[in-house]
Amino acid sequence: MINIVIFGAPGAGKGTQAQLLAEKFDFLHISTGDLLRQEVRLATPLGLRAQAIMNCGDLVGDDIVVPLLDRALRQRSTLPNPDDAVDPWDRELKGEPHRPEGCIIDGFPRTVSQAQTLEFMFSRLQRKIDCVVAIDVPRDELVRRIHERAAISGRADDTEDVIRHRIDLYDQQTQPVLDYYRVSGMLVTVDGSGEIAETNARICQTLKLVMKNKE
Ligand code: AMP
């Protein structure tokens, strides 16, 4: 079981890459953006609180996003839950829920404090982060992609102004998280300026090495 965190500014393609990796390596893909959008769609109390914040491109509070991630991580089909009397992975051996080969987290952490929270959540599940992948795309290219995306995306937070704000936030708040992981030696930066397939090949190469070292 390998646990990966993927980073990228809006327009870097982190969601697309996370999905491709999840399919290729049979990883569970947890996107905090998707979890939040689902809450908004269902108009749950958390979703109602998150909606206006997300529409402006700001970060929602940890009191909203952390419980959602915690719940997703603890779901029986994802990672073992130490509170379960029977290890869910035993159930899987008996043909019950599918056990993924790993887990890829997309959209979290976005602050150093969230990085510490994630470590705590993983340690409770007797897991640890094996690799942090940052997709690096120059700002000019991000802006070019944003023009395209704003024209076709149905997302309320995909207007040009809001996406620019989200890139600024990424630079201010998320870059320190990358420094945090760089210091711990977990960070791998991948050039994401080219085509989706090129970036994907680079990430796959990195992950194969990580998996080999873990064997
Ligand atoms: P994403 O799909 O990752 O681009 O996230 C979309 C939006 O969801 C972000 O602009 C934030 O408003 C919110 N969001 C997602 N993940 C987080 C997080 N870890 N912390 C705070 N807000 C988040």
Side-chain angles (χ1 to χ4, degrees):
M1 178 96 191
I2 166 168
N3 303 302
I4 296 147
V5 173
I6 191 161
F7 277 93
K14 82 174 157 53
T16 305
Q17 292 298 339
Q19 215 171 323
L20 289 173
L21 296 169
E23 281 162 22
K24 183 177 169 77
F25 294 110
D26 194 15
F27 289 159
L28 172 84
H29 174 201
I30 299 180
S31 150
T32 48
D34 285 350
L35 293 175
L36 285 160
R37 282 184 285 277
Q38 166 86 341
E39 295 295 306
V40 171
R41 255 193 312 275
L42 298 175
T44 64
L46 281 185
L48 293 175
R49 285 173 58 208
Q51 186 165 26
I53 306 170
M54 290 173 73
N55 286 352
C56 319
D58 286 327
L59 295 185
V60 306
D62 286 0
D63 56 327
I64 299 177
V65 69
V66 170
L68 288 179
L69 177 60
D70 195 43
R71 190 171 71 199
L73 280 173
R74 283 167 163 272
Q75 267 168 5
R76 279 205 346 212
S77 60
T78 62
L79 294 167
N81 180 351
D83 297 340
D84 270 358
V86 182
D87 186 334
W89 289 9
D90 288 344
R91 294 195 195 105
E92 281 161 10
L93 291 174
K94 292 174 196 139
E96 283 179 48
H98 170 65
R99 171 186 166 175
E101 293 298 323
C103 147
I104 184 155
I105 305 209
D106 141 18
F108 195 100
R110 273 173 146 100
T111 61
V112 173
S113 143
Q114 288 188 357
Q116 289 159 344
T117 303
L118 185 62
E119 265 162 43
F120 174 71
M121 285 195 274
F122 268 119
S123 69
R124 255 189 347 200
L125 297 165
Q126 285 116 43
R127 304 275 140 202
K128 67 173 196 51
I129 298 165
D130 296 291
C131 181
V132 175
V133 176
I135 305 174
D136 186 42
V137 178
R139 196 175 172 107
D140 285 358
E141 174 60 12
L142 289 178
V143 171
R144 192 194 66 76
R145 291 183 190 177
I146 286 165
H147 281 291
E148 275 181 17
R149 182 160 147 182
I152 52 168
S153 161
R155 272 171 56 170
D157 60 350
D158 268 355
T159 62
E160 284 205 35
D161 285 352
V162 175
I163 301 185
R164 277 177 201 277
H165 175 57
R166 287 166 55 209
I167 296 177
D168 289 342
L169 264 187
Y170 181 83
D171 285 340
Q172 289 157 22
Q173 292 191 284
T174 311
Q175 287 293 349
V177 188
L178 295 182
D179 293 338
Y180 176 85
Y181 285 125
R182 192 173 288 117
V183 170
S184 64
M186 270 188 267
L187 183 70
V188 180
T189 301
V190 172
D191 175 7
S193 57
E195 296 296 318
I196 291 173
E198 288 168 349
T199 305
N200 190 251
R202 289 190 189 108
I203 304 177
C204 287
Q205 216 175 356
T206 298
L207 294 189
K208 281 179 188 157
L209 272 179
V210 174
M211 285 187 242
K212 198 158 180 255
N213 289 339
K214 218 186 162 179
E215 273 171 12

